[in-house]
Amino acid sequence: MTTTHAPPAALLALDLDGTLIGPDGQPPPGLLDELRAWQLGGAHVAVITARGRLPPLLRDWPLHSASRCYGAWLRCEGRVLWERTLPTTAVHAALGALTPTERGGRCKTLIVTPDPRGILRHTDPDFEDRWPHAPAPLKVVHGQPDADRLDDLQAQWAAIPGAQVIRERHDRLVLVAAGAGKGEALRDLATHLGVPAARTWAAGDGPADAAMLPHARTFLRVGTHPALHAAHLTAPGPADVPRVLARCRADALGCRA
């Protein structure tokens, strides 16, 4: 999977929530101008998010690529480059590990399909009947307040063939297809574009973003999560990201920040 065009001067791959936007759901001042500066300098700008849907605000952002459900689905320059869906057997196994109580009540279970509107929730009256007939899903999410029980479920889900489990929060598990993590998304996008790791910059704030570290020359940690202790640069929060990205741009593209 390689490009037939001249490769970009650099690749900039960025997590979304907690990295580019804060609790208010909006980008900090100067962020979009900074991303445009990367684009004008010849870089390919991508967002790699865990979200099941790409938020509408991204439509106005200067992006070449956007991935959702970690690395399960990616659109590159207007076309879907890949959909990495879970085998039906994996979904059966994940849901089968839940007790009847865990499939309702205080627990939350949902299935995200490739359709941008395709989210099936356990609270849907026909959830049990609908999900086996839905398109192969991009991810399964289960959340509940019992962290010890989630530890047990994590071990069970981790043994499911053709899938990998991600736990970014103490109260939530996510199951995606094998090879659908953020690290694989960054690696495969860089290969498609013909950009080596030495020309790749990335940023994130949580444990799933740590998978991008081996595939980037420079990684910016936003916040203080210990899973990202090996990051090369740190920004206290999203408000500081435009300033630090400007420093990275000077290094990546030879532009004065």
Side-chain angles (χ1 to χ4, degrees):
M1 186 169 62
T2 56
T3 181
T4 57
H5 305 289
L11 170 58
L12 177 64
L14 306 161
D15 170 54
L16 183 61
D17 294 287
T19 299
L20 301 183
I21 60 176
D24 64 353
Q26 296 299 316
L31 176 66
L32 300 190
D33 287 341
E34 181 55 33
L35 298 184
R36 290 187 188 96
W38 278 80
Q39 278 197 337
L40 290 172
H44 184 103
V45 181
V47 160
I48 300 179
T49 178
R51 289 199 190 196
R53 295 170 173 165
L54 296 177
L57 64 87
L58 292 186
R59 296 172 188 160
D60 299 323
W61 286 29
L63 301 175
H64 298 98
S65 298
S67 175
R68 57 190 176 100
C69 299
Y70 301 93
W73 182 97
L74 184 134
R75 183 181 64 223
C76 178
E77 296 179 330
R79 68 184 181 94
V80 176
L81 198 60
W82 66 67
E83 289 179 355
R84 292 166 175 163
T85 58
L86 281 160
T88 301
T89 53
V91 182
H92 272 289
L95 296 182
L98 304 176
T99 67
T101 300
E102 288 170 341
R103 293 172 82 147
R106 296 170 59 198
C107 304
K108 180 177 78 171
T109 304
L110 59 86
I111 296 174
V112 180
T113 74
D115 183 341
R117 298 164 297 174
I119 297 180
L120 307 178
R121 294 175 173 83
H122 77 285
T123 51
D124 297 337
D126 53 354
F127 175 81
E128 299 289 348
D129 295 327
R130 286 178 59 203
W131 84 256
H133 305 290
L138 298 173
K139 71 176 180 179
V140 177
V141 181
H142 176 71
Q144 64 163 288
D146 188 340
D148 290 336
R149 172 57 180 154
L150 278 182
D151 289 342
D152 294 336
L153 281 173
Q154 182 173 354
Q156 294 180 60
W157 282 21
I160 297 174
Q164 63 177 306
V165 62
I166 298 171
R167 189 171 181 181
E168 282 204 278
R169 291 171 34 172
H170 73 282
D171 61 349
R172 182 178 298 176
L173 289 182
V174 177
L175 194 75
V176 296
K182 289 192 175 187
E184 294 95 338
L186 177 54
R187 179 198 65 200
D188 293 347
L189 176 60
T191 299
H192 173 76
L193 297 171
V195 179
R199 303 294 304 161
T200 299
W201 278 252
D205 75 311
D209 301 316
M212 295 193 286
L213 268 162
H215 307 290
R217 168 181 167 174
T218 299
F219 188 93
L220 167 62
R221 176 175 68 172
V222 182
T224 59
H225 201 287
L228 300 171
H229 66 89
H232 308 95
L233 297 169
T234 297
D240 306 281
V241 167
R243 170 181 55 81
V244 182
L245 284 183
R247 289 169 47 199
C248 293
R249 176 166 52 89
D251 182 28
L253 305 174
C255 304
R256 178 174 294 179

